[in-house]
Amino acid sequence: MLVSDDDMHHVLEVLSDESGAAHRAAHEYLDALTKTVLAELMGESDAKSATEREQWARAQPKFKDHLARVGQAAKADYQARQRYAAANAKLEAWRTGNANARAAERVR
């Protein structure tokens, strides 16, 4: 069989793990917060034009740190999604293998 019973136990653990939802929520929250962080920093600038204020704000360590946190959250989110997709693929392979085995038994 393509997928063993031990593999299925691992698959069920992965599919029932809710940490992926927490990673996705953190990523979405930090991503949505980006405009707020940028606006707050732009408000601190003494530049006259909006373009100059935005350029100043984007160059600030606080904004760069925020973007780094967004990147880390995105990485954790995408890793969790990939782990879930791989577990789901194993589940589908297991289901297909079992269905094929049942069909082979009926043919005999």
Side-chain angles (χ1 to χ4, degrees):
M1 183 165 290
L2 289 171
V3 182
S4 70
D5 289 341
D6 287 340
D7 288 337
M8 283 312 300
H9 289 292
H10 178 70
V11 163
L12 294 175
E13 286 176 12
V14 170
L15 294 178
S16 65
D17 182 7
E18 295 182 5
S19 65
H23 290 302
R24 186 166 192 173
H27 175 211
E28 290 178 358
Y29 171 76
L30 285 172
D31 194 40
L33 192 61
T34 299
K35 288 183 181 180
T36 302
V37 172
L38 184 62
E40 287 173 352
L41 287 170
M42 286 175 67
E44 295 175 12
S45 173
D46 295 332
K48 294 184 182 189
S49 75
T51 301
E52 290 173 326
R53 286 192 304 272
E54 182 175 345
Q55 288 174 342
W56 180 87
R58 288 183 181 276
Q60 297 309 301
K62 181 179 178 181
F63 190 72
K64 290 178 182 181
D65 289 343
H66 171 75
L67 291 181
R69 286 193 310 276
V70 171
Q72 290 168 349
K75 182 178 179 180
D77 178 18
Y78 292 126
Q79 285 174 332
R81 289 186 201 196
Q82 180 61 31
R83 187 172 177 222
Y84 184 89
N88 201 38
K90 279 187 179 182
L91 174 64
E92 290 303 316
W94 179 81
R95 291 177 65 195
T96 300
N98 284 336
N100 290 343
R102 285 191 304 274
E105 287 296 320
R106 282 188 289 239
V107 172
R108 291 183 192 179

